[in-house]
Amino acid sequence: MRNSEGRRDWSWLASPCWPIASRLILLLVFAALLALPIPTAQAAGCTHYDVDVDGSPLYVIVPKRNFVSGEHIVYKDQDCQIPEYRDVFNPSIAFAKRGRKAMEICEVNESQPVSQVSGAGMDNTYYCDVGKRKGPRRQRRQHLFRMQFHGDAQGALAYCKELSRGKPNHSQPNHVEGPTRRHSNWDCYRVWKVNKKYLERVGA
């Protein structure tokens, strides 16, 4: 309903002729909508991020920006009430479901250029590898794994894909880089392009 000024008029809810049960239902619906959680960062709060030497889980309190860097307390309970020790997160860790989002979190929060993201060992955790960024300006990358292979780049990529069978599509390699002076293995990557808005968002 709208009043004479064209604005919505909610006074009908208080009208005596409106059934009490109906008003109660509407109020409950409004309360439920207000109680819905506001979308927040992927892993904000006490989050499982690693395992101890004996295999027991370790937790850390992750801020809403999904980025942990520097010195933090590591906990041994899922409520982050029982401290285990202090640890220095270097390189920094981004918490995200995919490497793409992790890369964005790293670039937004790191003061240095981010060359790539790489798995930190647990699901949804990624290291922010800082340093000179490789590839074109709009290319971003996730380092998947390193492997031994004797052959050319085409064969190496095929072997990367073979080793990645069963993994999610967003973790499938589509790029390889060959042996260097430092090592004789091949690196398997997932690379993608970003748009202008992304570059503005991360300040790149």
Side-chain angles (χ1 to χ4, degrees):
M1 296 179 64
R2 297 178 182 271
N3 58 23
S4 59
E5 297 178 354
R7 298 178 180 176
R8 288 200 174 275
D9 184 5
W10 297 101
S11 62
W12 57 273
L13 280 174
S15 174
C17 64
W18 189 258
I20 295 177
S22 298
R23 280 187 284 175
L24 182 60
I25 290 173
L26 283 173
L27 290 174
L28 289 174
V29 169
F30 290 153
L33 290 173
L34 290 174
L36 287 174
I38 299 174
T40 56
Q42 167 63 28
C46 188
T47 303
H48 179 206
Y49 88 100
D50 203 353
V51 293
D52 209 343
V53 290
D54 61 356
S56 58
L58 295 173
Y59 302 84
V60 65
I61 297 177
V62 180
K64 289 183 179 180
R65 57 183 179 153
N66 275 344
F67 179 78
V68 175
S69 182
E71 185 176 295
H72 288 267
I73 298 175
V74 174
Y75 299 86
K76 60 182 180 180
D77 67 304
Q78 59 185 358
D79 296 320
C80 288
Q81 297 294 320
I82 307 173
E84 182 74 355
Y85 55 84
R86 285 185 174 273
D87 195 8
V88 177
F89 289 80
N90 185 21
S92 307
I93 294 181
F95 293 80
K97 288 185 177 180
R98 298 188 178 189
R100 283 175 180 255
K101 186 60 181 178
M103 185 69 183
E104 182 176 350
I105 292 170
C106 290
E107 290 198 277
V108 167
N109 289 282
E110 284 284 6
S111 58
Q112 304 178 57
V114 180
S115 61
Q116 62 186 29
V117 293
S118 56
M122 302 301 295
D123 291 339
N124 303 333
T125 59
Y126 297 85
Y127 286 125
C128 304
D129 298 329
V130 298
K132 185 177 180 181
R133 190 173 48 79
K134 303 175 182 178
R137 179 170 179 261
R138 292 193 175 187
Q139 185 187 92
R140 297 298 184 269
R141 60 177 58 199
Q142 174 187 351
H143 182 261
L144 300 175
F145 54 88
R146 179 171 289 176
M147 66 175 189
Q148 291 185 342
F149 180 79
H150 299 286
D152 60 9
Q154 185 176 356
L157 180 57
Y159 190 44
C160 282
K161 292 180 178 179
E162 182 180 340
L163 295 177
S164 299
R165 285 179 183 174
K167 292 185 179 181
N169 289 335
H170 56 79
S171 296
Q172 293 297 314
N174 58 3
H175 178 72
V176 293
E177 289 187 359
T180 66
R181 293 180 179 179
R182 291 186 176 183
H183 62 84
S184 58
N185 300 322
W186 288 82
D187 289 298
C188 303
Y189 292 91
R190 178 74 179 179
V191 302
W192 61 92
K193 289 184 178 180
V194 296
N195 56 30
K196 185 178 180 180
K197 288 183 178 180
Y198 174 94
L199 297 177
E200 294 173 350
R201 198 158 58 241
V202 302

